[in-house]
Amino acid sequence: MSDETPICSAKGCRAAAVWVLAWNNPKVHTPERRKTWLACEEHREHLSQFLGVRGFLKDVVAFDDWRAAEGA
């Protein structure tokens, strides 16, 4: 992996990201604002559940699809 390879947002994980978890905290962010966490295959479910139980999770998208939609 190079320094430019996106990595998973899970604490201590250095695996390549394959998922984008789009979220927002309605107490802090406007409804259209999307923050992102990146996830490897192993941590996708854990991070999704963490955001989901708080009502923050808005979407889970494959990293390559997210980049294509962003024009990267």
Side-chain angles (χ1 to χ4, degrees):
M1 275 192 290
S2 74
D3 289 338
E4 296 180 20
T5 301
I7 61 167
C8 181
S9 297
K11 185 176 181 178
C13 185
R14 303 296 298 162
V18 292
W19 297 99
V20 175
L21 287 64
W23 62 278
N24 88 359
N25 178 342
K27 292 181 180 180
V28 178
H29 306 118
T30 59
E32 65 278 354
R33 173 83 188 269
R34 291 294 179 267
K35 303 279 285 177
T36 57
W37 280 358
L38 303 178
C40 65
E41 197 63 56
E42 179 182 351
H43 292 113
R44 175 188 166 199
E45 187 63 29
H46 171 74
L47 293 173
S48 293
Q49 286 179 356
F50 180 89
L51 293 168
V53 298
R54 290 159 177 79
F56 295 174
L57 187 63
K58 302 301 178 192
D59 203 5
V60 178
V61 181
F63 182 78
D64 290 339
D65 293 343
W66 183 270
R67 287 188 68 187
E70 294 290 314

